[in-house]
Structure formats: structure tokens, C-alpha cells
Amino acid sequence: GQSLEQPSEVTAVEGAIVQINCTYQTSGFYGLSWYQQHDGGAPTFLSYNGLDGLEETGRFSSFLSRSDSYGYLLLQELQMKDSASYFCAVADNAGNMLTFGGGTRLMVKP
Amino acid sequence: DGGITQSPKYLFRKEGQNVTLSCEQNLNHDAMYWYRQDPGQGLRLIYYSQIVNDFQKGDIAEGYSVSREKKESFPLTVTSAQKNPTAFYLCASSNSGGARGYTFGSGTRLTVV
């Protein structure tokens, strides 16, 4: 089976940088994804890491270390609109089915 | 525009009733998925389908049923056997290699009254 651990809540101020960690235990691993979900809304895809290292997409970056079964999402220049829940997800060996972590609720304060 | 449509947005069910949640996509994606989300929790997989006329159980399939008669459609039935059905239900789709990005519908919020 798959299990993922991430902090339940993180608070930061506008303009700051925040890192959301994710550790996983899996029977098969294809890659690590990150999704953002605003209250009452649908999750939206943010980033994907299939190989070790850093992937950068604008203000968001994601990192993966397969040997440590660890990844993180880095959000820079935080804005109020970044207040949302962030989920890490692991894909199975075939690269299709995702198992999600419990989510990290990010609160950005002025 | 391509996307996934879930309906209805809100659904109320009496105890002992079966209800069906609709999910339609026009993205030409092969794979479709149903997830359940409880307040403050992550997403748990109910069922998934990678091709028409084929589907597999996820982690919490008991009390649910699905069909995949068309590539575009993947309806979920919540049966009376599901003892705690009140939740937010999300449908998603992806191409093969879906790890690189699921597209989610806007969800159906089901409440038992």
C-alpha cells in the first residue's frame, strides 16, 4: 500500500517563503505530484517530479529525493490567494493511479 | 472548452436510497477516477477505470458501484449499503501517465438527510 505524511497546517505572512514537506512509504513509486485546493473547490495540478531534483514553475517549486522517500513544495512571494490546502500524491508503478496525502492547510496572513 | 462536468453540485439523499452522481469529460482521456473527500481530509480512491467496460476497486469501494459504458462517462452510484455517505465526491480523468496531471471536476456534495 501507499501512505503519505504531510503537516496538517502551516501559517506564513504575505511575501514570505514557505516549504511544505511530504514523506511517503509506497509499495511502488512512479512520481510525486502536488495539487492545490481552495475551500469548496476542485484540486488543481501544480507540479510533478519523476526524477530527483528541483522543478520550478513560476513562484512554485517542487523537490524530490527518491532515496529519502521525501519531497517538498516551495511557495515563494506568498500572496493571500495562496491560502488553500496543498496535497502531495504518489503515483503507482504504472504512473496512473494517485494516492493522496491528508493535505496541508496553508494560511497566508497580511 | 474541454473539461470535466459533475452533476449535481449538491445532492440530498434519504437513508436507504440509492443515488447516482454524474461525471462527463470531453478531454478524450482514457482513465477516469472517483475520489471521496471528508472535511479536513485527503482524497480516498473509490473506483477507477482505465478503459471502457473495465474498472477496478479502489481503497474504499464498499457501498459504491460504477459503470464505464462510454469513454466520456463514469457515473458513480452510492448505494444504501454505504453507511456513511455524506462527503464531497470528486471525479477526475487523465491520459495514460496520469501521474503528470489529473483534471478534476468541481465535485458533488452529498448529504444524507
Side-chain angles (χ1 to χ4, degrees):
Chain A
Q2 324 271 58
S3 70
L4 296 92
E5 293 287 332
Q6 51 182 130
S8 59
E9 202 169 290
V10 172
T11 301
V13 297
E14 210 172 1
I17 299 172
V18 71
Q19 178 174 311
I20 298 173
N21 298 321
C22 175
T23 58
Y24 58 87
Q25 290 183 313
T26 61
S27 55
F29 180 84
Y30 189 88
L32 185 70
S33 303
W34 289 92
Y35 286 77
Q36 179 192 61
Q37 185 183 32
H38 287 97
D39 284 347
T44 56
F45 173 76
L46 290 177
S47 70
Y48 169 79
N49 294 74
L51 300 173
D52 286 0
L54 192 68
E55 294 283 340
E56 297 180 75
T57 308
R59 294 187 297 115
F60 294 179
S61 304
S62 58
F63 172 82
L64 174 65
S65 169
R66 296 173 73 124
S67 60
D68 295 324
S69 298
Y70 163 76
Y72 66 72
L73 179 70
L74 191 73
L75 296 85
Q76 302 182 71
E77 300 172 19
L78 282 173
Q79 302 174 9
M80 297 298 290
K81 68 177 182 180
D82 297 329
S83 292
S85 292
Y86 293 84
F87 296 89
C88 58
V90 169
D92 63 1
N93 272 336
N96 292 320
M97 198 175 68
L98 292 181
T99 299
F100 286 81
T104 298
R105 188 173 184 87
L106 171 64
M107 295 186 353
V108 180
K109 297 187 173 180
Chain B
D1 286 338
I4 297 184
T5 302
Q6 288 188 243
S7 62
K9 190 172 178 66
Y10 298 96
L11 186 58
F12 297 89
R13 190 195 94 168
K14 293 183 179 179
E15 299 237 8
Q17 278 185 337
N18 292 355
V19 290
T20 297
L21 282 60
S22 171
C23 178
E24 303 275 334
Q25 54 102 358
N26 60 2
L27 298 165
N28 200 33
H29 283 170
D30 293 315
M32 296 187 74
Y33 314 83
W34 275 104
Y35 285 87
R36 169 180 172 143
Q37 187 175 33
D38 293 286
Q41 304 294 314
L43 285 69
R44 293 184 291 168
L45 182 66
I46 304 172
Y47 268 99
Y48 66 102
S49 167
Q50 294 182 315
I51 55 172
V52 174
N53 292 323
D54 187 49
F55 47 83
Q56 285 77 42
K57 293 181 179 180
D59 299 321
I60 57 165
E62 186 175 348
Y64 300 97
S65 66
V66 293
S67 62
R68 187 87 186 275
E69 297 177 1
K70 299 187 300 182
K71 186 175 184 177
E72 302 80 17
S73 179
F74 191 41
L76 173 74
T77 296
V78 184
T79 75
S80 56
Q82 171 49 240
K83 297 306 177 190
N84 185 22
T86 295
F88 189 45
Y89 291 87
L90 287 157
C91 180
S93 70
S94 72
N95 275 326
S96 56
R100 298 177 183 273
Y102 278 14
T103 300
F104 280 89
S106 56
T108 293
R109 194 168 297 278
L110 174 63
T111 304
V112 173
V113 295

